[in-house]
Amino acid sequence: MSENGALPHRGKVLTVDTMNANVKKVDYAVRGPIVQRAVQIEKELKEGVKKPFKEVIKANIGDAHAMGQRPITFFRQVMALCTYPQLLDDNKFPEDAKNRARRILQACGGNSIGAYTTSQGIDCVRHDVANYIQRRDGGIPSDPDNIYLTTGASDGIVTILKLLTAGEGRTRTGVMISIPQYPLYSASIAELGAVQVNYYLNEEKCWSLDISELQRSLQAAREHCNPRVLCIINPGNPTGQVQSRQCIEDVIRFAAKENLFLMADEVYQDNVYAEGCEFHSFKKVLFEMGPEYSRTVELASFHSTSKCYMGECGFRGGYMEVINMDPEVKAQLTKLVSVRLCPPAPGQALMDLVVNSPQPGEPSYQSFMKERTAVLSALAEKAKLTEEILNTVPGISCNPVQGAMYSFPRITMPERAINEAKAKGQAPDMFYCMKLLEDTGICLVPGSGFGQRDGTYHFRMTILPPTDKLKIMLNKLKEFHQTFTQQYA
Amino acid sequence: MSENGALPHRGKVLTVDTMNANVKKVDYAVRGPIVQRAVQIEKELKEGVKKPFKEVIKANIGDAHAMGQRPITFFRQVMALCTYPQLLDDNKFPEDAKNRARRILQACGGNSIGAYTTSQGIDCVRHDVANYIQRRDGGIPSDPDNIYLTTGASDGIVTILKLLTAGEGRTRTGVMISIPQYPLYSASIAELGAVQVNYYLNEEKCWSLDISELQRSLQAAREHCNPRVLCIINPGNPTGQVQSRQCIEDVIRFAAKENLFLMADEVYQDNVYAEGCEFHSFKKVLFEMGPEYSRTVELASFHSTSKCYMGECGFRGGYMEVINMDPEVKAQLTKLVSVRLCPPAPGQALMDLVVNSPQPGEPSYQSFMKERTAVLSALAEKAKLTEEILNTVPGISCNPVQGAMYSFPRITMPERAINEAKAKGQAPDMFYCMKLLEDTGICLVPGSGFGQRDGTYHFRMTILPPTDKLKIMLNKLKEFHQTFTQQYA
């Protein structure tokens, strides 16, 4: 204090100049400026501001329920029973739902889903996850001790990246990620101060992964950092491709040869639509390649309750399986996750239902399968529809949406539009998407938020809106693109 | 591959030598070796191994439901309704529960708790939090834009520490934490590579906080780092003290003078038992000190669904309020939390119920208040009981448990026991707690896990077991301490 009792003028302790520099480098386009503007526009619409559209259609994020998809009844029944066990006496709930709930509650401290769980996740859930993986992968064993439940897949991915980040300068950990990528990766790499190493997917070959490109990228990276991790998203986000078994084998061979830790983001494992495409887990292919690989290659794979046919994003459920992780590192991992106590117990319970869904003969089996199939067939139909309609637009070219929930079409932008964007300091596809939002209410994410080859422009669009709305949206988009092209011709 | 097709022998990519060095430094005693051994012992008991006790009593962690506390009925009714909205037609649920559920669902994408929420948290929940804070603090305004919902309080605390961590070497951010402390702080500081700056609480004065000690600690720290943050836990964990209004005012004045960002961990705000003690929020005191302080001092305060009378740890609900945060930094904070998409929606909904609980006149008010009061009175009784019984043991001395859920008594250890522990490479109180666990099944956390003055020994014990069990436990502990003291005399 000064003598007259007034505090001396003090600046802020925490300013952009004195804050964590890595955090400043973080970017997350899926919830970036376009989405913030979309939220504003929604408010303006509510306040009666006149717009050339009546509602904002949010095709920016893989949020199925927000786009009208209904939750799976069985899952919600079990979750309600776990939450309010008095309902176990209610005969409106099917017996299999009650059995699942009783089993989960018995595994909870004090039989309450409100108790902390062990940090690695509820024991019986981890066992169920391991059994699921084993069934999925044709009998290849999975060890519950290798399963860690997580707060959505994002949490697991960041945790593994955190373990792997070390060194300084030229020895700093490099993380190889596909371009286009899901920006959780670039954001986490920036936050951790690791080095982002880009490898480009081959748009001309339906966003496939070429080993020669991996090789190029790795060699270039070795000049300035220590690339130790290779991240793969399959089925792909934002690009919607499904990798062939051969490709996965090649990637694993490459990782083995080059001493890379593999991270396989497989949250869209049930979202495969295209004929001839099939989901192959990295774990399965690794083990089919024989002990030379299955006993050496380090792999972490990730799954979640947020995608597939469930779309239960809000519960933040997920798991990861770690393979060939050094036991001492595993102990460090277990210690690290214990600091945050545990993943949300409701998310863990929901993850359990996903891996331990109703079986033939159980009362809820038929209705569960019906609901599941309905969601997945609708998605398959919308994947096709999206590709078809977009490809009728001159100046838009869209690869088949083989899987996941997104199309990532390439757009041809007139030179004048590119220049106007640059004059504004905007990425040209940001400029495009912002104009699209203002003119039509359609909210997409510009390709620049995911990364793309220089001089190419894209957007990511989810295929989640209900079919009628999707059709309207695609046609509006078509019209917009034509007008835009004329306007800037 | 070598020419015969075999892979060259490759070491692990990720080993303790090549992993993130900061992660290795992380320690989290609340789930450390004692707890791991307790879990093992429970398994052994199940397998029929003979022990001098029949069950493990876990008094190591503030996990109320695991110790038999029942969830608040109203909260679980609303959560069940949000989870399975078909129940809204069920007349077994009270109208106020239904209204709360409808309101929350209306604020969710697609009216589903399975949708992502905005990253900062559901709008109406943040408004309810702001209203709660305003009521709690006698009308001092709270702005919903300053509220961030979090995945438990831990998440918020780590996020703010992350923003604040910057600089290298002598300019590296120093974080002042009380000793004893809750090890989330030391663990996060280690993980972020910030510098832990200890200030000691005054055990002789009931774990109070002396400004002279803050001054000493700060001056010493300025020799080797840049102390920018002062963390306070009130009511205290692990020490159970409740700070006086005067003390809080002094701390705020100190922070203002020394340019420190204040972090107030107030998750035990309803857990105040001792006569003459009262909870004062840092926010309230700050604003009562006048604009000179209320317009300048940067403060983040934290709350959670896990403690108080709710004990809903598994839901991982929480919020933080940031005061006087630089708007540009706030934008960075909002961006940073968006990378993880959103806190768990069920945890957000539960947080809403905590800040928007049944009001007089609503159908659930009476039963809610009855349940709430029962939990808090039982805790008050157990706080007193714990202090009383422990203080009858020669060689144990226990400060009053004024608040929170823990006692942190000091134990006198015989020289021979200290030497034996040291010979084993164990902290003496770790040796004591391990022996206690093996002999009696009581699971406590050694004081060394929280920090203590050199040459003093403590343990942390929750007051959560049901009263009968708590009495048995305390008497067993008494007996153990006497035997231990004789054995090592």
Side-chain angles (χ1 to χ4, degrees):
Chain A
M1 298 235 194
S2 67
E3 281 176 38
N4 62 10
L7 281 173
H9 176 75
R10 61 192 279 274
K12 298 270 183 206
V13 178
L14 183 59
T15 66
V16 273
D17 294 328
T18 64
M19 69 176 277
N20 189 325
N22 287 338
V23 169
K24 274 187 278 188
K25 292 182 201 142
V26 166
D27 238 334
Y28 188 69
V30 176
R31 297 206 154 186
I34 291 268
V35 184
Q36 283 162 29
R37 179 65 190 132
V39 171
Q40 262 179 0
I41 290 179
E42 279 186 324
K43 276 192 188 156
E44 292 170 15
L45 283 172
K46 266 192 195 162
E47 290 160 3
V49 179
K50 282 218 169 161
K51 303 270 176 194
F53 49 87
K54 283 192 185 136
E55 62 166 342
V56 172
I57 305 180
K58 285 191 192 149
N60 61 295
I61 188 166
D63 189 355
H65 292 195
M67 296 314 292
Q69 185 182 306
R70 306 307 313 150
I72 299 290
T73 306
F74 179 78
F75 290 179
R76 291 305 189 89
Q77 286 174 330
V78 180
M79 293 309 298
L81 290 160
C82 287
T83 306
Y84 190 55
Q86 281 85 331
L87 292 170
L88 286 165
D89 299 328
D90 189 325
N91 50 25
K92 280 204 291 292
F93 286 83
E95 272 312 307
D96 48 355
K98 289 184 182 175
N99 289 337
R100 292 288 197 296
R102 281 191 202 102
R103 182 157 169 274
I104 291 167
L105 289 175
Q106 270 160 24
C108 291
N111 299 330
S112 168
I113 198 132
Y116 288 124
T117 75
T118 56
S119 303
Q120 200 170 343
I122 301 173
D123 251 42
C124 81
V125 179
R126 289 191 294 112
H127 277 84
D128 288 346
V129 168
N131 288 336
Y132 160 81
I133 293 174
Q134 195 161 326
R135 281 195 313 275
R136 182 197 68 188
D137 291 345
I140 290 163
S142 170
D143 181 348
D145 277 350
N146 289 341
I147 308 296
Y148 289 76
L149 300 180
T150 57
T151 307
S154 305
D155 171 45
I157 291 166
V158 174
T159 302
I160 296 295
L161 285 176
K162 192 180 285 170
L163 287 179
L164 279 155
T165 301
E168 287 306 328
R170 288 191 58 158
T171 70
R172 192 69 175 163
T173 296
V175 181
M176 299 180 70
I177 60 172
S178 62
I179 299 293
Q181 52 114 17
Y182 173 56
L184 167 71
Y185 290 91
S186 51
S188 311
I189 291 166
E191 192 190 313
L192 292 164
V195 181
Q196 176 176 331
V197 176
N198 296 340
Y199 65 89
Y200 290 86
L201 299 176
N202 190 338
E203 181 164 17
E204 280 63 43
K205 289 192 189 160
C206 201
W207 298 115
S208 66
L209 197 169
D210 297 338
I211 300 299
S212 60
E213 168 60 11
L214 285 181
Q215 196 70 62
R216 179 208 61 75
S217 157
L218 182 69
Q219 258 159 10
R222 282 190 175 144
E223 301 288 311
H224 61 92
C225 70
N226 178 17
R228 304 171 68 198
V229 201
L230 173 53
C231 303
I232 312 276
I233 312 174
N234 178 51
N237 176 4
T239 37
Q241 82 283 16
V242 176
Q243 281 174 350
S244 69
R245 198 192 170 290
Q246 183 59 51
C247 173
I248 293 172
E249 202 174 312
D250 293 345
V251 169
I252 292 172
R253 203 167 278 121
F254 177 81
K257 185 167 69 92
E258 302 292 354
N259 251 37
L260 298 169
F261 189 108
L262 270 174
M263 291 176 63
D265 180 338
E266 302 179 323
V267 299
Y268 300 98
Q269 53 191 265
D270 293 327
N271 298 109
V272 176
Y273 318 116
E275 261 178 58
C277 284
E278 201 183 327
F279 171 72
H280 302 276
S281 77
F282 268 74
K283 164 88 181 293
K284 174 164 173 269
V285 177
L286 178 64
F287 276 69
E288 287 171 353
M289 287 168 73
E292 216 169 338
Y293 292 91
S294 68
R295 288 190 192 149
T296 60
V297 177
E298 293 150 82
L299 168 69
S301 63
F302 306 90
H303 196 15
S304 149
T305 58
S306 304
K307 310 298 170 186
C308 298
Y309 60 95
M310 305 79 80
E312 295 278 14
C313 314
F315 278 85
R316 313 308 298 123
Y319 75 74
M320 60 183 173
E321 182 183 30
V322 294
I323 303 291
N324 292 317
M325 183 175 265
D326 181 289
E328 284 182 274
V329 175
K330 236 176 97 178
Q332 292 284 336
L333 169 58
T334 306
K335 177 192 74 177
L336 180 63
V337 297
S338 77
V339 177
R340 298 288 191 97
L341 297 158
C342 67
Q348 295 186 46
L350 196 53
M351 192 75 247
D352 188 65
L353 301 174
V354 171
V355 296
N356 183 20
S357 56
Q359 293 306 301
E362 289 190 308
S364 303
Y365 179 70
Q366 302 286 352
S367 62
F368 166 74
M369 285 307 287
K370 205 175 142 196
E371 289 179 6
R372 182 186 192 277
T373 309
V375 172
L376 292 176
S377 336
L379 284 172
E381 186 196 353
K382 292 188 278 188
K384 207 151 190 187
L385 192 71
T386 303
E387 179 203 344
E388 281 171 5
I389 301 189
L390 286 177
N391 280 326
T392 65
V393 189
I396 295 188
S397 119
C398 181
N399 270 318
V401 182
Q402 299 174 332
M405 300 179 164
Y406 316 99
S407 69
F408 195 73
R410 183 162 170 179
I411 47 177
T412 309
M413 286 193 55
E415 207 59 39
R416 267 189 56 221
I418 295 172
N419 292 337
E420 194 170 318
K422 284 183 180 162
K424 278 186 151 185
Q426 272 183 344
D429 44 19
M430 169 68 89
F431 174 80
Y432 179 95
C433 288
M434 201 58 103
K435 202 160 166 28
L436 176 73
L437 174 64
E438 298 288 352
D439 289 4
T440 67
I442 299 172
C443 179
L444 306 179
V445 190
S448 45
F450 304 90
Q452 54 201 351
R453 285 204 183 268
D454 279 347
T456 70
Y457 307 107
H458 301 79
F459 57 74
R460 186 185 83 165
M461 190 195 97
T462 73
I463 58 167
L464 293 174
T467 311
D468 330 351
K469 213 180 240 183
L470 183 67
K471 275 188 198 160
I472 296 171
M473 181 174 99
L474 287 165
N475 285 316
K476 271 187 166 187
L477 184 55
K478 185 174 181 168
E479 212 173 291
F480 169 82
H481 188 81
Q482 288 164 338
T483 315
F484 182 88
T485 305
Q486 282 161 17
Q487 192 182 343
Y488 288 97
Chain B
M1 296 234 196
S2 67
E3 282 177 38
N4 61 11
L7 281 173
H9 174 77
R10 62 192 278 275
K12 298 270 182 205
V13 177
L14 183 59
T15 67
V16 274
D17 294 329
T18 64
M19 69 178 276
N20 188 326
N22 287 340
V23 170
K24 274 188 277 188
K25 292 181 201 142
V26 166
D27 237 335
Y28 188 70
V30 176
R31 296 207 154 183
I34 291 268
V35 185
Q36 283 164 29
R37 178 65 190 133
V39 171
Q40 261 180 359
I41 289 178
E42 279 185 325
K43 276 193 187 156
E44 291 171 16
L45 282 172
K46 266 191 195 162
E47 289 160 5
V49 179
K50 282 219 167 159
K51 302 272 175 193
F53 49 86
K54 283 189 185 139
E55 61 166 341
V56 171
I57 305 179
K58 285 191 191 150
N60 60 296
I61 188 167
D63 189 355
H65 291 195
M67 297 314 291
Q69 185 182 309
R70 306 309 311 152
I72 298 291
T73 305
F74 179 78
F75 290 179
R76 293 303 189 90
Q77 286 174 330
V78 180
M79 293 308 298
L81 290 160
C82 286
T83 306
Y84 189 55
Q86 283 84 332
L87 292 171
L88 286 165
D89 299 327
D90 189 326
N91 51 24
K92 280 205 292 292
F93 286 83
E95 272 312 307
D96 48 354
K98 289 184 184 177
N99 289 338
R100 292 289 196 296
R102 280 191 202 101
R103 181 157 171 275
I104 292 167
L105 289 174
Q106 270 161 22
C108 291
N111 299 331
S112 168
I113 196 132
Y116 289 122
T117 74
T118 56
S119 302
Q120 200 171 342
I122 300 172
D123 251 41
C124 80
V125 179
R126 289 189 295 111
H127 277 84
D128 289 346
V129 168
N131 288 336
Y132 161 81
I133 292 175
Q134 197 162 325
R135 280 197 312 276
R136 183 197 67 188
D137 292 345
I140 290 163
S142 170
D143 182 346
D145 277 349
N146 289 340
I147 308 295
Y148 289 76
L149 299 181
T150 57
T151 308
S154 305
D155 171 42
I157 292 166
V158 174
T159 301
I160 296 295
L161 285 176
K162 192 181 286 169
L163 287 180
L164 279 155
T165 301
E168 288 304 328
R170 287 190 59 160
T171 68
R172 192 71 175 159
T173 296
V175 182
M176 298 181 71
I177 60 173
S178 62
I179 297 296
Q181 55 115 13
Y182 174 54
L184 166 71
Y185 290 90
S186 51
S188 310
I189 291 167
E191 193 190 312
L192 292 165
V195 181
Q196 177 177 330
V197 176
N198 297 339
Y199 65 88
Y200 290 86
L201 299 176
N202 190 338
E203 181 165 15
E204 280 64 42
K205 289 192 190 159
C206 202
W207 298 115
S208 65
L209 198 168
D210 298 338
I211 299 298
S212 60
E213 168 59 11
L214 285 181
Q215 196 68 63
R216 179 209 60 76
S217 158
L218 182 70
Q219 256 158 12
R222 282 190 174 146
E223 301 289 312
H224 61 92
C225 70
N226 178 15
R228 303 171 69 199
V229 201
L230 173 53
C231 303
I232 311 277
I233 313 174
N234 177 51
N237 176 6
T239 35
Q241 82 283 17
V242 176
Q243 280 174 351
S244 68
R245 198 190 170 292
Q246 183 59 51
C247 172
I248 293 171
E249 201 174 312
D250 293 344
V251 169
I252 291 173
R253 202 165 278 121
F254 177 80
K257 184 166 69 96
E258 302 293 353
N259 249 38
L260 298 169
F261 189 108
L262 270 174
M263 291 176 62
D265 180 339
E266 301 178 326
V267 300
Y268 299 99
Q269 54 191 264
D270 293 327
N271 299 111
V272 176
Y273 317 117
E275 262 177 56
C277 283
E278 201 183 329
F279 171 72
H280 302 276
S281 78
F282 268 74
K283 164 88 180 293
K284 175 164 172 269
V285 177
L286 177 64
F287 276 69
E288 287 171 352
M289 287 168 72
E292 215 169 340
Y293 292 91
S294 68
R295 289 191 192 149
T296 60
V297 177
E298 292 151 82
L299 167 69
S301 62
F302 306 90
H303 196 14
S304 148
T305 59
S306 304
K307 310 298 170 186
C308 299
Y309 61 94
M310 308 78 82
E312 295 277 14
C313 316
F315 279 84
R316 313 308 298 122
Y319 75 74
M320 58 184 174
E321 182 183 28
V322 294
I323 302 292
N324 291 319
M325 184 175 265
D326 181 288
E328 283 183 274
V329 174
K330 236 176 97 179
Q332 292 284 335
L333 169 59
T334 305
K335 177 193 73 178
L336 180 63
V337 299
S338 78
V339 178
R340 299 290 191 92
L341 297 159
C342 68
Q348 295 185 47
L350 196 53
M351 192 76 246
D352 188 65
L353 302 174
V354 172
V355 296
N356 184 19
S357 57
Q359 294 306 303
E362 288 191 308
S364 303
Y365 179 71
Q366 301 287 352
S367 62
F368 166 74
M369 284 308 286
K370 203 176 143 194
E371 289 179 7
R372 181 186 192 277
T373 309
V375 172
L376 291 176
S377 335
L379 283 171
E381 186 196 355
K382 292 189 278 189
K384 206 151 191 188
L385 193 71
T386 302
E387 179 202 344
E388 282 170 5
I389 301 189
L390 286 176
N391 280 327
T392 64
V393 189
I396 295 187
S397 119
C398 181
N399 269 320
V401 182
Q402 298 174 331
M405 299 179 164
Y406 317 99
S407 67
F408 196 72
R410 182 161 171 179
I411 47 176
T412 310
M413 286 192 55
E415 208 58 41
R416 267 188 57 222
I418 295 172
N419 293 336
E420 196 170 317
K422 285 184 178 160
K424 277 186 151 186
Q426 272 181 342
D429 45 19
M430 169 68 89
F431 174 80
Y432 179 94
C433 288
M434 200 58 103
K435 202 161 166 29
L436 175 73
L437 173 65
E438 297 288 352
D439 289 4
T440 66
I442 299 171
C443 179
L444 307 179
V445 190
S448 44
F450 304 90
Q452 53 200 350
R453 285 205 182 268
D454 279 349
T456 69
Y457 306 108
H458 300 79
F459 57 76
R460 186 185 82 165
M461 190 194 97
T462 73
I463 58 166
L464 293 173
T467 311
D468 330 350
K469 215 181 239 183
L470 183 68
K471 275 188 197 160
I472 297 171
M473 183 176 99
L474 287 165
N475 285 315
K476 270 187 165 188
L477 184 56
K478 183 174 184 170
E479 210 174 290
F480 169 83
H481 189 81
Q482 288 163 339
T483 315
F484 182 88
T485 305
Q486 280 161 19
Q487 194 182 342
Y488 288 96

